[in-house]
Amino acid sequence: MKKTILTLTVMTLLAGIIFAGYRSSNQKGKAAQANMLMVEQDLNLPKKEGNTVAQKPVNDEEWLTFKNESELKIRDHEVRINELKIKVKTQEELFDAPARKKI
């Protein structure tokens, strides 16, 4: 009795899901037309000011200061990376000694 009720319930739910998801070709066509209209409207909108603002030209002094600051940052990062590499190597040696004794 319980199995038949459960089976009927499951079949009813599946049928409901299938029919609820069904859309006729007419409905699909209307949805596609609506999407096309929205896309065309988006293309016709004027561009935002943020996209059309021209970049101001950079003079030589600004460029040199930017370049020097960038090179300093790069050097600092390279030094930090080398320090971390050395630290990892020293820690490997500390952890390898007990592991060697166990082996």
Side-chain angles (χ1 to χ4, degrees):
M1 181 74 176
K2 289 183 181 180
K3 286 185 180 182
T4 56
I5 293 174
L6 180 63
T7 305
L8 288 174
T9 305
V10 170
M11 293 180 106
T12 305
L13 285 173
L14 287 175
I17 290 171
I18 290 171
F19 288 122
Y22 176 74
R23 291 192 341 185
S24 68
S25 61
N26 189 19
Q27 289 173 335
K28 289 179 185 177
K30 287 181 182 179
Q33 287 177 347
N35 286 339
M36 289 299 294
L37 288 175
M38 289 173 38
V39 169
E40 289 175 3
Q41 289 174 354
D42 289 343
L43 291 175
N44 293 332
L45 290 176
K47 294 190 177 202
K48 295 180 182 177
E49 289 184 24
N51 293 337
T52 59
V53 173
Q55 296 177 349
K56 75 173 193 175
V58 178
N59 61 23
D60 291 337
E61 186 178 315
E62 289 176 352
W63 169 248
L64 289 176
T65 56
F66 171 75
K67 183 178 174 183
N68 291 335
E69 289 174 356
S70 298
E71 288 176 354
L72 284 173
K73 287 180 183 179
I74 291 171
R75 283 190 207 123
D76 290 341
H77 289 299
E78 288 175 350
V79 168
R80 180 71 177 143
I81 290 170
N82 289 330
E83 289 174 356
L84 291 173
K85 285 181 181 179
I86 292 170
K87 187 176 181 180
V88 167
K89 285 186 179 181
T90 58
Q91 288 180 354
E92 281 180 11
E93 293 172 1
L94 293 174
F95 289 114
D96 283 344
R100 288 183 193 149
K101 288 181 182 178
K102 288 181 182 179
I103 294 174

